[in-house]
Amino acid sequence: MTRVAAIDCGTNSIRLLIADVPDQGAHTDVLRRMEVVRLGEGVDATGRLAPQAIERTRKVLAEYVDAASDMGAARVRMVATSASRDAANRTDFENMVRATLGQLPDVVPGREEAELSFLGATASLDAAAAAHGSSAPPPPFLVVDIGGGSTEFVLGDPQGVRAAHSVDIGCVRLTERHLRGDPPTNAEVEGAERDIRAALDDVRAEVPVGEAATLVGLAGSVTTVAALALRLPAYDADAIHGSRITVDDVRTVTAGLLAATREQRAALPVMHPGRVDVIGAGALILREIMDAVGLAEVVVSEHDILDGIALRLARS
């Protein structure tokens, strides 16, 4: 058993998982944390990470470093994804991380990001299905990780990854680019839809999505849509993990979010404050993916790239 600390720094949030990982089988969570720091604030327009965004990230990262030390993590790996990968001043971010964590972040390319997401998501699919009293979802799996700046698509099965592709559509990027109204106008939504559909054309050129038997959805946009579709009175990760949400329910939730004001979205009991501004775009991405893939439901996973980082760190 190896205790490791995995840190995932995305465009919208920074997350920590401290876990005990055996040589084989499921890992055990010791601590999970998520804070919305909006590292990618404005990066789509300026091409640079804002100093205040880097500072917000530094404060939370320092807390994560202390937690990993206090809990005896033998290894730590921090993976940074879309916003820091794209920024012209990524060295400012990297220097901050080195000073805070004592090592550089791994700014991974889209392919590795997708592979880590696939590993994290699929390792627990059978157990999640059993917990819900349902049969295990059949492979091949199309794992879709909707982030703040990018979305990763990876097709694979228990033998490994067949194909993967990353595209620059994410809930923060599309919100800043298109969905500025409160609520967004029809024209704004149509602009976002055009961007998503163009990106999906690129995905289909790289990934044979028609081979997928099961669509697996990851990250906060997907889990929040699931919580709303399940009509949960409060956010419940156990109820969400492994749930199966129909495309009709995704359409209904998406329409409601895009028609709601910011105040109305903030009042939803399952809504994390950091997702209020961007959840409409995230739901829209999920809806467009489901329409394009043609599968009747999405299997929702609370396990994602963060779990993949921990598993690979412990077993490599």
Side-chain angles (χ1 to χ4, degrees):
M1 187 80 70
T2 304
R3 178 163 293 186
V4 296
I7 301 169
D8 170 40
C9 185
T11 302
N12 195 47
S13 63
I14 181 169
R15 301 179 301 144
L16 169 70
L17 170 62
I18 299 175
D20 289 331
V21 183
D23 292 338
Q24 294 182 334
H27 58 285
T28 302
D29 290 6
V30 178
L31 175 67
R32 280 185 191 261
R33 278 190 59 186
M34 187 276 284
E35 300 290 342
V36 173
V37 294
R38 202 66 60 84
L39 177 63
E41 179 185 14
V43 75
D44 189 54
T46 67
R48 299 180 65 84
L49 298 171
Q52 64 270 22
I54 294 176
E55 175 60 15
R56 288 195 298 265
T57 306
R58 184 198 65 78
K59 289 179 179 178
V60 177
L61 178 59
E63 295 176 6
Y64 290 179
V65 170
D66 288 344
S69 176
D70 292 344
M71 294 184 176
R75 302 178 193 169
V76 180
R77 184 186 185 194
M78 177 178 177
V79 166
T81 52
S82 178
S84 56
R85 186 172 61 231
D86 299 340
N89 63 332
R90 65 184 266 183
T91 54
D92 294 343
F93 170 76
E94 291 174 343
N95 289 338
M96 177 278 288
V97 173
R98 180 161 47 192
T100 308
L101 181 62
Q103 63 192 54
L104 284 170
D106 292 327
V107 183
V108 298
R111 171 77 186 207
E112 184 179 357
E113 187 175 352
E115 290 173 345
L116 289 168
S117 295
F118 184 83
L119 173 63
T122 59
S124 62
L125 284 181
D126 289 358
H132 284 273
S134 57
S135 58
F141 308 113
L142 178 63
V143 173
V144 177
D145 187 346
I146 301 174
S150 64
T151 296
E152 283 63 54
F153 296 78
V154 56
L155 179 73
D157 54 34
Q159 283 67 53
V161 171
R162 299 184 184 180
H165 192 58
S166 177
V167 288
D168 285 337
I169 53 169
C171 59
V172 174
R173 195 183 297 269
L174 286 182
T175 300
E176 292 184 350
R177 188 180 294 173
H178 295 290
L179 305 182
R180 301 186 180 96
D182 186 24
T185 66
N186 289 338
E188 290 173 340
V189 173
E190 289 167 3
E193 289 172 339
R194 284 193 295 271
D195 277 7
I196 298 167
R197 291 167 187 170
L200 290 176
D201 287 340
D202 291 342
V203 171
R204 280 188 285 257
E206 299 291 334
V207 180
V209 297
E211 295 179 7
T214 298
L215 176 66
V216 183
L218 315 182
S221 291
V222 177
T223 58
T224 301
V225 168
L228 292 168
L230 294 168
R231 297 178 174 84
L232 298 178
Y235 194 92
D236 183 342
D238 290 337
I240 293 166
H241 186 54
S243 63
R244 302 184 183 197
I245 308 301
T246 68
V247 65
D248 287 341
D249 282 343
V250 170
R251 291 192 187 109
T252 298
V253 169
T254 302
L257 290 169
L258 292 172
T261 65
R262 187 186 192 284
E263 182 179 7
Q264 290 168 330
R265 295 192 303 273
L268 295 169
V270 299
M271 188 67 62
H272 188 285
R275 299 209 182 275
V276 173
D277 292 330
V278 299
I279 186 59
L284 186 61
I285 294 168
L286 177 60
R287 190 201 74 190
E288 288 292 322
I289 290 170
M290 294 189 74
D291 285 343
V293 173
L295 294 173
E297 64 182 17
V298 57
V299 178
V300 181
S301 178
E302 286 276 355
H303 293 181
D304 52 23
I305 187 172
L306 192 62
D307 301 79
I309 296 166
L311 289 166
R312 183 167 289 180
L313 179 61
R315 293 172 178 168
S316 61

